[in-house]
Amino acid sequence: MRAPILPAFILSLCLAPAARAEASDEAGIRQVMDAFHAAVVGHDGARLASLFLPDGGAWLNVLTDQAYAFVAGAKPKVRVGSHRDFATFVSTTKSALDPRHDNIRIVSDGTVASVTFDFHFLIDGVETNRGMEMWQLVKDADGWRIAAITYSSTPKAP
């Protein structure tokens, strides 16, 4: 009867460090998300930019079919931007900004990670955009950094 318990106990000891590493990764990634939110709300474009890899990366805004129907022909369905453009917007706008994230899902192997969540972007207390957002992150010598952001976009209808 004791024989099956011993292998299970040994297996649990082997898996315990992995569980701690995953919790540590999730905590570090959530710190990046919290810093992102604080930088946007605080109009701190420099802090926002520091959360990203300095070179490379992608910033893709993909209009939902519903949103694209309003602008078909006038704007592309997939728009390429950059974290630098967003940091400039955050730094220069006088409006109150509030990016809200929920339904957060994090997957990581301790070196790379993806975060997926639903977002609602409020400007001056009014939702101006919503959709699903996906971040790709990498862990460099200084911790987690955002490598790419891709998000669906359903801006407020004109």
Side-chain angles (χ1 to χ4, degrees), residues 1-106:
M1 192 69 140
R2 289 183 174 215
I5 295 173
L6 185 58
F9 176 72
I10 292 171
L11 180 61
S12 72
L13 289 177
C14 293
L15 294 178
R20 280 195 296 275
E22 289 176 15
S24 172
D25 290 336
E26 183 169 332
I29 292 165
R30 286 188 180 267
Q31 286 176 343
V32 171
M33 294 183 74
D34 291 344
F36 182 96
H37 184 269
V40 172
V41 170
H43 299 277
D44 189 346
R47 174 68 177 128
L48 181 70
S50 75
L51 301 172
F52 289 81
L53 289 176
D55 298 315
W59 184 284
L60 301 172
N61 175 346
V62 183
L63 292 173
T64 61
D65 290 342
Q66 173 189 359
Y68 187 63
F70 287 112
V71 297
K75 293 185 181 180
K77 183 160 173 57
V78 179
R79 298 180 284 179
V80 178
S82 75
H83 71 272
R84 288 178 190 89
D85 293 342
F86 187 62
T88 298
F89 166 72
V90 164
S91 295
T92 59
T93 186
K94 302 294 184 209
S95 298
L97 305 175
D98 186 10
R100 297 184 181 177
H101 308 119
D102 57 17
N103 198 23
I104 299 167
R105 298 163 308 277
I106 298 173

Side-chain angles (χ1 to χ4, degrees), residues 72-146:
K75 293 185 181 180
K77 183 160 173 57
V78 179
R79 298 180 284 179
V80 178
S82 75
H83 71 272
R84 288 178 190 89
D85 293 342
F86 187 62
T88 298
F89 166 72
V90 164
S91 295
T92 59
T93 186
K94 302 294 184 209
S95 298
L97 305 175
D98 186 10
R100 297 184 181 177
H101 308 119
D102 57 17
N103 198 23
I104 299 167
R105 298 163 308 277
I106 298 173
V107 177
S108 174
D109 70 357
T111 304
V112 297
S114 66
V115 180
T116 306
F117 52 85
D118 299 325
F119 79 90
H120 304 269
F121 197 84
L122 285 72
I123 298 179
D124 291 331
V126 176
E127 182 180 288
T128 60
N129 198 3
R130 63 181 162 77
M132 176 190 262
E133 195 161 327
M134 297 174 209
W135 292 7
Q136 302 299 307
L137 296 99
V138 297
K139 193 173 191 181
D140 69 7
D142 297 321
W144 289 102
R145 306 281 291 274
I146 304 169

